Amino acid sequence: MKYRLLFCGAFAALPALAQVDTTQNASMNTLFGRDTTLRPSNAQLKLNMDATYDRPFLTTGKMPVSVGGYLEANTQYMQTNGVTEGFSFQMRRMTVFLAATINRRIKFLSEIEFEDGTKEINIEFAAMDIQFDQLFNLRGGIIMNPIGSFNQNHDGPKWEFIDRPLSSTRIIPSTWSNVGFGLYGKKYSRDWVWAYEAYLTNGFDDQIIANDQNRTFLPATKANQDRFEESFNGVPLVTLKTALKRRKVGEIGLSWMGGVYNKFQDDGLILDERRRVDVWAVDFNTTLPTRTFITGELVWAHINVPPSYTQQFGRKQQGGWVDIVHPIRRGRMLGWNTAALNVALRVERVDYNVDKFNETGENIFDELWSVVPAISFRPSPTTVIRANYRYQWDTDLLGNPPARTAGFQFGFSTYF
């Protein structure tokens, strides 16, 4: 009976949050709506930082709790240099959102993700926000570090591609979140909006060079579940981002994330020098007059690797991606009133090691390129059925002829 009451309550409207930030109010209205448009025309001043709350939720009456989530699954057939492991079905992830309005200016949201069935279960976001002013909001808990755009805006139903961008998952370890506190805020002026975010969180550990990848690999730190309990070395990771957007033109964001990743002391005993990891990112998006949506991200990482490590462990990494999505038809299709048929293309690159060999001065490769044409059908804005063709070139350290991977993917993703 309790569950029935809770379920029935979920369909009643929550009282709107009295926010000074009008775009944030729009996000809240979207949050408390159902089957909403992800990029509505009346919300052109939304930024990537609003993605956390710009999600459809099921709500109920005056209950201050709402629920939501998304699901994505696919099938794929891939081969590398003519060798294939056959046909696979994949349950990439199911994510559950839970949000609560504690006070009209205090809110809570959590995001729990189940990946590859239940192979990985992660709390990706669980934070409380307190608004003191449009320019001064406090956020604390498990925070999505605002590095680049994809780490903040990663929900599967928002993308025409089944795989996440490679540089955003292999250099920036998206999704990357950690425990900490920070501030964020926005400022509007007619068609302009400026925003900032600044957080201190727990950071990386030495698995970024002590891992089974045999290369510098920042996502290896995600295996350390202790980062939600304590810092590996007692030095906070700093993440800063600023973004600027003009209505009908687009958004550009600049972000930096840096800190010490090694255990340089233990019980007062100095073990090593402080070794830093610093990541910079530039993200952008715009919509052309043809309604073609373009978004992308560039990332650079600098890692202070001990001299005892071989040159295959990159001191510098870089990468990037750009997505081009063009609607070829919108409107009523197959009985759906707000359907859309899109064609899309992603071009992306990851360079795990930007250095040169000390002995010869020649380039260290260890890089990959990928091109992914796609077609997608959206029966509603919050559901996407998509087909991708991936062609990828992986080049080893020495620059030998690349391994060529090609294959088809077909799947869907939907909010619920």
Side-chain angles (χ1 to χ4, degrees):
M1 185 63 181
K2 292 181 179 178
Y3 294 107
R4 182 177 298 176
L5 291 174
L6 180 62
F7 181 77
C8 293
F11 287 89
L14 280 172
L17 295 180
Q19 304 274 340
V20 178
D21 179 346
T22 56
T23 299
Q24 189 76 350
N25 275 337
S27 296
M28 291 300 100
N29 291 334
T30 300
L31 168 65
F32 300 125
R34 185 75 173 99
D35 197 21
T36 56
T37 302
L38 297 178
R39 301 186 185 102
S41 58
N42 61 352
Q44 292 183 351
L45 292 180
K46 288 182 181 178
L47 301 170
N48 280 307
M49 66 179 290
D50 298 314
T52 301
Y53 286 97
D54 188 20
R55 292 159 161 163
F57 276 66
L58 291 172
T59 62
T60 174
K62 295 184 178 180
M63 288 187 64
V65 177
S66 55
V67 298
Y70 70 87
L71 170 73
E72 54 184 334
N74 67 279
T75 182
Q76 70 174 19
Y77 178 86
M78 292 285 181
Q79 62 177 19
T80 300
N81 290 341
V83 178
T84 179
E85 295 184 354
F87 205 71
S88 293
F89 293 95
Q90 300 177 324
M91 178 64 184
R92 290 289 179 94
R93 55 187 59 86
M94 187 188 77
T95 298
V96 178
F97 310 137
L98 182 65
T101 302
I102 301 169
N103 179 276
R104 68 186 182 91
R105 292 194 297 172
I106 303 176
K107 57 184 183 291
F108 166 83
L109 189 145
S110 65
E111 178 180 350
I112 302 173
E113 185 166 277
F114 302 83
E115 292 191 46
D116 301 322
T118 54
K119 190 176 180 180
E120 293 185 22
I121 303 175
N122 300 307
I123 300 176
E124 295 199 334
F125 188 91
M128 180 183 68
D129 288 15
I130 303 177
Q131 184 182 52
F132 296 97
D133 183 79
Q134 178 178 319
L135 271 172
F136 188 76
N137 299 268
L138 174 66
R139 173 172 289 171
I142 297 178
I143 294 166
M144 199 75 69
N145 297 70
I147 181 73
S149 61
F150 185 83
N151 200 49
Q152 295 178 299
N153 196 7
H154 59 265
D155 290 358
K158 295 184 177 181
W159 300 86
E160 317 304 309
F161 302 93
I162 291 170
D163 288 332
R164 292 177 165 180
L166 295 177
S167 64
S168 296
T169 54
R170 300 191 184 187
I171 298 180
I172 296 174
S174 301
T175 50
W176 172 246
S177 57
N178 228 317
V179 182
F181 294 88
L183 303 172
Y184 68 90
K186 282 178 165 183
K187 179 68 175 178
Y188 301 92
S189 177
R190 295 186 177 181
D191 291 340
W192 292 89
V193 57
W194 169 81
Y196 77 93
E197 293 177 87
Y199 301 103
L200 296 177
T201 64
N202 289 338
F204 292 92
D205 61 24
D206 58 6
Q207 292 185 71
I208 67 176
I209 55 172
N211 56 64
D212 58 6
Q213 298 285 322
N214 292 321
R215 62 160 65 103
T216 304
F217 195 63
L218 271 59
T221 290
K222 294 175 65 176
N224 178 17
Q225 297 298 324
D226 290 339
R227 73 180 193 276
F228 295 111
E229 182 182 8
E230 61 177 348
S231 171
F232 182 68
N233 51 30
V235 179
L237 179 73
V238 181
T239 309
L240 304 175
K241 182 171 183 178
T242 184
L244 182 68
K245 184 172 185 177
R246 180 176 172 78
R247 188 195 302 268
K248 298 182 179 179
V249 176
E251 173 186 354
I252 184 168
L254 304 174
S255 50
W256 164 73
M257 176 174 67
V260 176
Y261 72 86
N262 67 324
K263 187 177 283 294
F264 55 90
Q265 66 176 1
D266 191 15
D267 293 333
L269 179 65
I270 302 300
L271 305 176
D272 192 4
E273 66 176 85
R274 295 188 179 211
R275 300 192 181 279
R276 292 186 57 86
V277 54
D278 294 277
V279 182
W280 296 266
V282 177
D283 60 84
F284 58 93
N285 64 71
T286 187
T287 302
L288 303 179
T290 58
R291 298 195 297 183
T292 304
F293 180 68
I294 301 175
T295 184
E297 183 176 294
L298 301 173
V299 57
W300 299 265
H302 184 277
I303 305 97
N304 183 356
V305 177
S308 57
Y309 275 67
T310 62
Q311 297 173 61
Q312 73 186 70
F313 289 86
R315 275 70 176 172
K316 298 177 184 176
Q317 298 181 329
Q318 65 184 24
W321 53 270
V322 61
D323 286 3
I324 304 172
V325 181
H326 180 71
I328 56 177
R329 185 178 177 186
R330 282 182 173 177
R332 184 173 176 82
M333 284 184 278
L334 303 176
W336 283 287
N337 293 326
T338 57
L341 182 65
N342 300 317
V343 292
L345 177 68
R346 169 176 291 167
V347 180
E348 54 188 337
R349 180 174 182 267
V350 174
D351 190 341
Y352 294 108
N353 198 329
V354 182
D355 295 325
K356 298 180 181 298
F357 286 109
N358 295 331
E359 295 81 3
T360 64
E362 295 181 345
N363 183 43
I364 300 175
F365 287 87
D366 197 13
E367 63 184 31
L368 66 87
W369 280 90
S370 175
V371 177
V372 187
I375 186 167
S376 67
F377 175 67
R378 291 183 176 272
S380 79
T382 54
T383 299
V384 59
I385 302 169
R386 53 202 177 190
N388 295 177
Y389 175 75
R390 171 172 290 277
Y391 199 94
Q392 182 172 311
W393 299 262
D394 290 82
T395 305
D396 64 13
L397 285 169
L398 302 177
N400 291 311
R404 298 174 184 269
T405 298
F408 294 93
Q409 296 171 302
F410 178 81
F412 73 92
S413 185
T414 184
Y415 285 109
F416 55 82

